[in-house]
Amino acid sequence: MDSPVVVITGASSGIGEATARHLAARGARLVLGARRTDRLEAVAAATGATTRRTDVRRREDVAALVDLAVETHGRLDVIVNNAGVAHVEPLDTLAVEHWDEMIDVNLRGVLYGIAAALPVFRRQASGHVVNVVSTSGLRITPEQAVYAATKNAVRTLSEALRQQAGPHLRVTAVSPGMTVTELVTAAADGPAAEATRARVAEIGIPADAIARAIAFAIEQPATVDVGEIVVRPTAQS
């Protein structure tokens, strides 16, 4: 696809930033959303992207980001639902506010992205939904119960959307393994979070590895749908 128009949420750091930089280098036209506008503008300066402050917990924010892409470029080819948050802690902590945040960002935010992009894709008779999931939903650990639950919900959602998408819409779920991003460094305090951070520091892969996987899926011919990609360190069990 020549110069696709791509919306990326959570684009101010980590996988979102790496994906923006990688796709920009390959000619994509980018519209980026995130809450941290200072970081977002730095990414935009490096990629030539259009930006809008976006909190994916707010449906109107995500809709406005998609509208911006269509207004700026006349179309939307890909939405990368990347924004995410992780809290690594036992359920016994009863950190309900953290559970709510993960549900709102990791699941509801993806639903809002689909709700915003799907009507555009249907009008165009083309489009690609890329949802960033996680290997945490493939190999369950108790301290990541809610995080894994939200990611598995998105995995289920992605497959259901793929099945009902028809011949003109592609859907890809990308599951990163241990990746060096702020998602882990910003996780909750406590032994479980510290152990996760130490393991990521030991074996984690760079965010650009995930960006390359996303680019691979996007760059396939329109008749080829890459349903799921798992990208993890070779040392990760």
Side-chain angles (χ1 to χ4, degrees), residues 15 66 99 102 105 119 148 156 176 181 224:
I15 291 170
V66 168
W99 304 350
M102 287 185 282
V105 174
T156 299
T181 71
V224 176

Side-chain angles (χ1 to χ4, degrees), residues 184-190 192-202:
V184 174
T185 58
D189 293 328
E194 288 297 331
T196 299
R197 282 191 281 267
R199 186 62 172 157
V200 170
E202 179 186 4

Side-chain angles (χ1 to χ4, degrees), residues 46 67 159:
D67 288 345
E159 175 59 15

Side-chain angles (χ1 to χ4, degrees), residues 17-185:
E17 177 183 357
T19 301
R21 291 178 181 272
H22 187 75
L23 293 180
R26 301 176 76 82
R29 293 170 288 171
L30 302 176
V31 179
L32 308 179
R35 286 182 287 181
R36 296 178 295 180
T37 55
D38 56 335
R39 299 281 294 273
L40 190 61
E41 291 307 318
V43 179
T47 61
T50 303
T51 67
R52 188 184 191 281
R53 186 185 187 281
T54 305
D55 183 342
V56 298
R57 296 172 297 183
R58 295 168 51 88
R59 183 180 178 185
E60 58 269 31
D61 278 16
V62 184
L65 186 66
V66 168
D67 288 345
L68 177 61
V70 176
E71 292 164 4
T72 304
H73 299 289
R75 62 180 297 107
L76 174 64
D77 297 302
V78 183
I79 183 166
V80 180
N81 291 308
N82 165 74
V85 62
H87 294 285
V88 181
E89 55 201 352
L91 289 171
D92 281 331
T93 61
L94 300 181
V96 177
E97 68 280 6
H98 289 167
W99 304 350
D100 288 343
E101 183 183 18
M102 287 185 282
I103 292 168
D104 288 344
V105 174
N106 300 349
L107 176 55
R108 203 182 306 275
V110 172
L111 286 166
Y112 289 162
I114 293 170
L118 193 56
V120 178
F121 292 160
R122 293 304 192 198
R123 289 197 302 268
Q124 297 174 166
S126 67
H128 193 165
V129 176
V130 178
N131 294 327
V132 177
V133 196
S134 174
T135 59
S136 293
L138 298 174
R139 185 175 185 273
I140 308 302
T141 59
E143 294 82 5
Q144 297 182 30
V146 179
Y147 177 69
T150 61
K151 292 300 188 177
N152 270 337
V154 174
R155 179 174 284 106
T156 299
L157 175 66
S158 301
E159 175 59 15
L161 179 59
R162 186 196 66 79
Q163 290 185 28
Q164 66 178 272
H168 304 301
L169 177 63
R170 300 190 295 168
V171 183
T172 302
V174 179
S175 293
M178 291 187 171
T179 306
V180 180
T181 71
E182 294 179 7
L183 182 72
V184 174
T185 58

